[in-house]
Amino acid sequence: MSVRTPDPDWNPDDEPVVRPPANPGWLTDLELAEVRGRLPLLYVEAVPVRVDGLGQVTEVGVLLRANAVGEMTRTLVSGRVMYGETIRDALFRHLEKDLGPMAFPMLPASQVPCVVAEYFPMPGISPFTDERQHAVSLAFIVPVTGTCEPRQDALEVTWMTPAEAASESITAEMEGGRGVLLRQALASVGALP
């Protein structure tokens, strides 16, 4: 007779039981660190804009946040695409996460991004850097019609004209080359002179 207290995943045949993860689209911190060191990850980024009746960009929303060392920086809506998640679903999830549920984003009809950015952990390969990983980001211009109240790590959404958003002072506050991405995205819709 065995008096051994079985492990939670123990079975009488002493075969390991494979259970699906609680959230199959998400990785643990350890798994994520391992994957980041081996594979490029797919991200989506959004430039929230307000448009006039003719569809021309009148304002650009830029997020203000504190980075890991406490510096105030500016950034765009961004985040990873989870396994099994469509690009549209990921874009909508991150817009709601960063701008709040009342932003009412109007996702683009086309899934073709306005900019594709490739982030590298080593500077100098491209204008885009991310010290954590090699990542490919699909960027979209997304009109929003509602009230934006940032959630997660964003402190505020600052609305400014396209010229102000693309200015040297604002783009210099953006980490990882996102100022270049912002200018490219605005240029793709004719919002820059």
Side-chain angles (χ1 to χ4, degrees), residues 117-192:
E118 192 169 12
Y119 291 86
F120 289 94
M122 300 80 62
I125 297 174
S126 86
F128 309 105
T129 58
D130 185 335
E131 63 191 28
R132 304 167 301 165
Q133 64 194 341
H134 177 189
V136 176
S137 179
L138 309 176
F140 299 87
I141 297 279
V142 180
V144 294
T145 58
T147 304
C148 296
E149 295 180 16
R151 301 174 0 170
Q152 301 293 328
D153 63 346
L155 302 173
E156 73 174 27
V157 179
T158 306
W159 292 96
M160 54 191 80
T161 68
E164 291 170 334
S167 71
E168 285 294 325
S169 62
I170 296 297
T171 58
E173 295 177 8
M174 300 183 104
E175 293 180 313
R178 283 193 173 84
V180 172
L181 181 112
L182 176 62
R183 286 181 179 162
Q184 290 175 345
L186 292 173
S188 77
V189 293
L192 293 181

Side-chain angles (χ1 to χ4, degrees), residues 21-27 80-84:
N23 184 349
W26 232 201
L27 300 170
R80 285 193 316 272
V81 177
M82 295 192 319
Y83 180 80

Side-chain angles (χ1 to χ4, degrees), residues 63-92:
L63 299 172
L64 180 67
R65 71 177 187 93
N67 66 13
V69 294
E71 299 168 336
M72 299 304 284
T73 61
R74 297 196 183 269
T75 192
L76 303 172
V77 171
S78 66
R80 285 193 316 272
V81 177
M82 295 192 319
Y83 180 80
E85 183 177 43
T86 67
I87 300 291
R88 296 179 75 74
D89 287 344
L91 192 56
F92 186 81

